[in-house]
Amino acid sequence: MSGKASSSQLSVSSSGSGGLSHVYIQHPPLRCNVPRSRGLFYDDGNKLLCSPTSDQVFSWKTAPFDPLVAPTSDLISEGPILSIRYSLDAKIIAIQRTSQEIQFFHRETGQNFCHKCNPESESILGFFWTDCPLCHFVLVKNSGLDLLACDAESKSLQLVKTRKLNVSWYLYTHESRMVLLASGMQCNTFSGFQFSSAGIVCLPKFEMIMAKSEANSKPVLAAEDVYIATIYGRIYCLQIDRVAMLLHSYRFYQDAVVQQGSLPIYSSQIAVSVVDNVLLIHQVDAKDSESPEANISDSESKIYGDDWTFMIPDLACDVSNKLLWKINLDLEAISACSSEVPSVLEFLQHRKLEASKAKQLCLAITHNLILERRPVLMVAKAVEVLMVSYSQSLKTGSYLKGIKDTEVNAQFKSLKTNPKVNKEKLSGGAERSSTEVHISSSQSQQLGPANSPLNASVSERQESQLTSPAISPDEMYSFVFAPVEEEMVGDSSYLVAIILEFLRRFTPNDMFVSNVAVQVSVKKKVKPNINVLAIQLLARNERYAELSLFIINKVLEPSKKVAMQLLESGGQNSQVRKLGLDMLRQLSFHHDYVLQLVQDGYYLEALRYARKHKVVTVRPSLFLEAALASNDSQLLAAVLRFFSDFTPGFKTTSDCHTYNRILYEMNSAVAV
């Protein structure tokens, strides 16, 4: 994999030399260069990057990622530093000094105390803080785990429980709350524990697959060959098999560990990241350095330097140059690299970190599909993907607009014509740098209800649920159908077919429903604007018979807007206009129904309907003016008699006197 510096970011290719970049690291990085630093340490529990000196610890917050964030500092005492982690309440700093000793510093009081291994034959491999109710602190030793409660006031750790195990090395991520302990001759036998706020889950022992390089050779699994990854809230273990050139994946359940499959790898030197639930496989031996732009230093233009360390989920640390990079997905490039539009839309609908960008791309892609007159079936499948996602977001409550319609509209217009990758993003050559892991529902459910899956903490996933790229039917109208109708030239039959295909999928008629779950939840959310547009297009093509069938069969949802559009479009077709009148009456829009009857000249019928349904909002003058305009004295007399008989107080109004005088004059003229 190679890269090149641009004015704003470094990008890495995933489709060979000259291909579009699927992933990029945003410039500038977080610069952590502290004089006399003793190295960089990442505290994933607090998302801190720590750089200690002989008497201080400087720490930078990495989430949300801000390259200009200022560090905080804490005083510590002189001594060796093997590891640093802050307590989850950020009150205590724990520093591993040796393989036998950990020192604790209280940040507020400045007091400190030490915890040592006993007996000395044991050695500390590492430690981590937990939010488990049973313990605050877990010490990982070559002889197992010590679960400890921290008492800052008494300056000591109280042993709660011990787990005796032979441990060669261990792996822990705070995101998963999972620790894996490797043991055995090949270090491929694992014991696992999850320390969550709900308690401790003990996994059964399991072994990882390892191919043999030679007949009598047994490779040893190293810590850098195993990763714990959280994808869509599910916890996986990823194992690099350098002999077989495969990346094996395992999923954790409470009482089972199930292998999920394997992915091919194309280099023995790889690393793993997870960005917005997408698994990235980095080919780290594809080191490259190209001429940087004027504002980017030589060290910052290098991709995959010798001292690059990848930290789960989405950070890369250049240890030698003291730089921290944030890895991002290039959604525009990913969208442009595949012709399988439904798959691309489904991918975008799962993105949360850049939900606004994913939403705009989905709208632009769907808009262009229709404008390019792609096959109706292809467009229908694409639209169904969007509506299924919208339905699911309604059920989970994750659907939020996120940004105002005006902002969506402005950004959408910039993308809809050509939703391609930004030309400033420069790419190099690499093979398969990004792969999304899709675990089938059958695999997820094959263990049955007794085997509950282990999921990441809700608090770890909460941030990603604040926005959603889901697109509502109303947004489909505003940003897809309406703009296409304005831009499309020629016969509108194609657009009619697309809109009807969209509407048919959400009608009660089972023959039109391809997804019942969508129909139930989206049915009530379809705004009348789409139906109105369909009526306009059908009437424009004089397809009145089809329009009538769609109304009768309720393919087009009844509403006042739909009824008024039928009345307008029915100027050239009495059947369509009658359907509009009937819809107003059936929906109990009595006032509007009476007005339409008067407009059509059915004055007496309008009066009888108004009396029957107690429509008191229609002014008598409306009927009187219409009767007078007909120049029919008998009709005017009938209207006057109706209001005199059934409207209290009408005889004393000015309208009554005025129109009685006019009626008298009309009758006098006839007599002469």
Side-chain angles (χ1 to χ4, degrees):
M1 186 183 292
S2 63
K4 196 171 185 179
S6 76
S7 60
S8 61
Q9 63 197 35
L10 298 176
S11 60
V12 281
S13 171
S14 61
S15 55
S17 180
L20 294 175
S21 167
H22 288 179
V23 180
Y24 66 91
I25 49 179
Q26 193 74 40
H27 188 272
L30 175 60
R31 298 179 175 91
C32 314
N33 198 0
V34 175
R36 299 181 302 279
S37 171
R38 295 189 173 185
L40 293 176
F41 300 87
Y42 184 57
D43 176 4
D44 64 337
N46 296 282
K47 300 189 186 304
L48 293 175
L49 187 66
C50 304
S51 179
T53 64
S54 60
D55 59 354
Q56 290 186 84
V57 176
F58 293 88
S59 59
W60 292 262
K61 196 74 176 173
T62 64
F65 187 80
D66 178 5
L68 303 179
V69 67
T72 59
S73 63
D74 294 281
L75 294 176
I76 59 173
S77 61
E78 177 74 32
I81 298 174
L82 302 182
S83 180
I84 299 177
R85 282 184 182 268
Y86 286 66
S87 62
L88 299 185
D89 60 8
K91 292 182 179 180
I92 300 174
I93 306 173
I95 301 177
Q96 183 178 350
R97 294 298 194 182
T98 68
S99 61
Q100 299 290 322
E101 180 183 2
I102 294 180
Q103 190 173 14
F104 296 84
F105 295 87
H106 198 286
R107 298 180 70 190
E108 294 180 359
T109 65
Q111 297 177 331
N112 68 87
F113 61 94
C114 293
H115 181 83
K116 295 184 178 181
C117 272
N118 189 21
E120 293 186 359
S121 59
E122 296 179 337
S123 62
I124 299 173
L125 301 179
F127 66 90
F128 54 89
W129 298 88
T130 82
D131 52 6
C132 178
L134 185 64
C135 60
H136 307 131
F137 190 84
V138 177
L139 195 62
V140 185
K141 303 182 296 184
N142 60 354
S143 60
L145 300 178
D146 282 354
L147 312 185
L148 303 159
C150 182
D151 188 349
E153 294 183 2
S154 64
K155 300 180 184 180
S156 65
L157 293 177
Q158 304 298 325
L159 181 62
V160 176
K161 196 172 185 178
T162 298
R163 292 275 188 174
K164 290 294 183 182
L165 296 162
N166 291 323
V167 182
S168 301
W169 51 262
Y170 83 102
L171 191 65
Y172 175 79
T173 67
H174 184 76
E175 183 182 38
S176 65
R177 309 298 202 274
M178 177 80 70
V179 61
L180 293 179
L181 309 174
S183 61
M185 294 286 292
Q186 295 179 264
C187 296
N188 66 335
T189 301
F190 287 86
S191 300
F193 302 88
Q194 186 183 40
F195 295 86
S196 71
S197 57
I200 301 175
V201 177
C202 178
L203 296 174
K205 277 191 175 183
F206 67 99
E207 289 191 0
M208 291 189 179
I209 301 171
M210 296 186 69
K212 294 182 179 180
S213 56
E214 298 175 7
N216 297 319
S217 174
K218 292 185 177 180
V220 177
L221 190 62
E224 56 267 24
D225 293 337
V226 180
Y227 297 84
I228 298 174
T230 303
I231 303 174
Y232 296 116
R234 301 168 179 174
I235 303 174
Y236 297 92
C237 180
L238 305 173
Q239 173 220 344
I240 302 170
D241 190 333
R242 301 183 191 279
V243 176
M245 295 298 284
L246 292 172
L247 181 70
H248 303 299
S249 65
Y250 307 81
R251 186 177 175 192
F252 294 112
Y253 293 80
Q254 288 188 358
D255 56 0
V257 179
V258 180
Q259 186 178 2
Q260 299 287 288
S262 302
L263 296 171
I265 57 176
Y266 300 90
S267 168
S268 60
Q269 301 297 317
I270 69 169
V272 170
S273 297
V274 177
V275 181
D276 200 4
N277 294 305
V278 177
L279 177 64
L280 306 182
I281 303 174
H282 304 273
Q283 184 179 324
V284 296
D285 57 355
K287 300 177 178 65
D288 196 10
S289 176
E290 303 198 24
S291 300
E293 299 290 338
N295 62 337
I296 299 180
S297 65
D298 289 340
S299 62
E300 292 176 10
S301 68
K302 294 178 180 178
I303 302 296
Y304 297 153
D306 292 332
D307 292 322
W308 273 46
T309 300
F310 291 86
M311 297 175 293
I312 295 291
D314 55 6
L315 298 173
C317 184
D318 183 350
V319 178
S320 60
N321 293 302
K322 305 297 188 295
L323 302 174
L324 185 71
W325 300 93
K326 176 75 163 58
I327 305 170
N328 300 273
L329 296 179
D330 192 332
L331 297 182
E332 291 181 42
I334 294 173
S335 301
C337 75
S338 174
S339 59
E340 295 293 328
V341 176
S343 298
V344 170
L345 292 175
E346 187 173 2
F347 173 86
L348 291 172
Q349 284 295 301
H350 281 90
R351 307 285 66 83
K352 304 297 182 185
L353 294 184
E354 291 187 279
S356 177
K357 171 65 72 64
K359 186 171 191 172
Q360 295 157 30
L361 285 168
C362 287
L363 290 168
I365 290 170
T366 309
H367 170 276
N368 289 349
L369 271 184
I370 300 173
L371 204 59
E372 294 167 5
R373 294 180 179 268
R374 297 292 185 90
V376 173
L377 183 59
M378 176 189 292
V379 179
K381 288 181 179 179
V383 169
E384 183 168 2
V385 168
L386 299 180
M387 291 299 99
V388 168
S389 176
Y390 175 66
S391 172
Q392 292 171 344
S393 71
L394 289 179
K395 292 176 183 177
T396 59
S398 64
Y399 175 73
L400 293 173
K401 280 198 172 181
I403 50 178
K404 296 180 181 178
D405 284 348
T406 53
E407 186 178 346
V408 173
N409 199 17
Q411 295 175 348
F412 166 66
K413 285 181 179 178
S414 69
L415 284 169
K416 69 180 181 180
T417 304
N418 185 24
K420 304 292 184 184
V421 64
N422 189 327
K423 299 302 181 185
E424 293 183 357
K425 294 172 184 173
L426 305 174
S427 60
E431 291 183 293
R432 299 182 184 269
S433 63
S434 64
T435 308
E436 183 179 13
V437 174
H438 292 284
I439 307 301
S440 70
S441 58
S442 60
Q443 287 175 315
S444 300
Q445 298 170 3
Q446 64 185 354
L447 296 178
N451 302 84
S452 301
L454 290 181
N455 297 327
S457 168
V458 173
S459 61
E460 290 293 321
R461 292 179 281 134
Q462 197 169 29
E463 183 179 350
S464 67
Q465 295 177 345
L466 295 177
T467 56
S468 168
I471 297 171
S472 69
D474 196 39
E475 289 168 327
M476 283 291 295
Y477 168 79
S478 299
F479 303 120
V480 177
F481 295 133
V484 166
E485 192 269 336
E486 293 178 2
E487 299 169 39
M488 187 172 282
V489 295
D491 185 18
S492 59
S493 298
Y494 174 78
L495 181 56
V496 171
I498 297 297
I499 293 176
L500 292 178
E501 193 66 34
F502 169 78
L503 293 172
R504 282 170 173 169
R505 293 169 184 267
F506 311 121
T507 62
N509 192 334
D510 290 338
M511 65 179 289
F512 294 143
V513 179
S514 61
N515 189 304
V516 176
V518 174
Q519 181 259 321
V520 171
S521 60
V522 179
K523 175 74 169 172
K524 296 180 181 178
K525 300 293 180 180
V526 176
K527 298 292 182 68
N529 292 333
I530 299 177
N531 297 308
V532 170
L533 178 59
I535 294 170
Q536 291 172 343
L537 295 173
L538 286 167
R540 189 182 304 168
N541 292 337
E542 297 184 352
R543 295 165 61 178
Y544 297 114
E546 291 176 72
L547 175 54
S548 299
L549 285 175
F550 293 142
I551 295 298
I552 293 170
N553 293 326
K554 291 186 169 53
V555 174
L556 301 178
E557 282 281 296
S559 69
K560 182 178 177 179
K561 279 190 176 182
V562 168
M564 300 307 291
Q565 184 59 51
L566 288 172
L567 291 167
E568 180 183 335
S569 300
Q572 304 298 320
N573 187 281
S574 59
Q575 175 64 21
V576 170
R577 184 169 179 81
K578 183 178 183 303
L579 289 172
L581 272 174
D582 291 343
M583 188 176 293
L584 284 177
R585 177 172 50 79
Q586 291 164 4
L587 296 175
S588 299
F589 289 108
H590 303 308
H591 176 89
D592 301 277
Y593 181 72
V594 169
L595 292 181
Q596 291 299 324
L597 286 176
V598 172
Q599 183 178 327
D600 290 350
Y602 299 107
Y603 309 114
L604 297 181
E605 182 180 343
L607 288 171
R608 287 191 291 269
Y609 186 89
R611 181 189 175 197
K612 178 180 179 181
H613 294 279
K614 298 181 174 58
V615 183
V616 296
T617 56
V618 180
R619 295 175 292 105
S621 59
L622 178 69
F623 291 89
L624 293 168
E625 289 170 2
L628 178 61
S630 69
N631 202 29
D632 186 341
S633 60
Q634 290 184 346
L635 179 59
L636 180 58
V639 172
L640 279 168
R641 189 180 310 113
F642 178 90
F643 285 114
S644 298
D645 293 344
F646 300 109
T647 304
F650 175 74
K651 292 181 179 180
T652 61
T653 64
S654 60
D655 282 342
C656 181
H657 297 306
T658 299
Y659 283 96
N660 269 314
R661 178 173 51 78
I662 293 173
L663 179 60
Y664 176 78
E665 292 173 355
M666 291 175 67
N667 289 333
S668 298
V670 172
V672 172

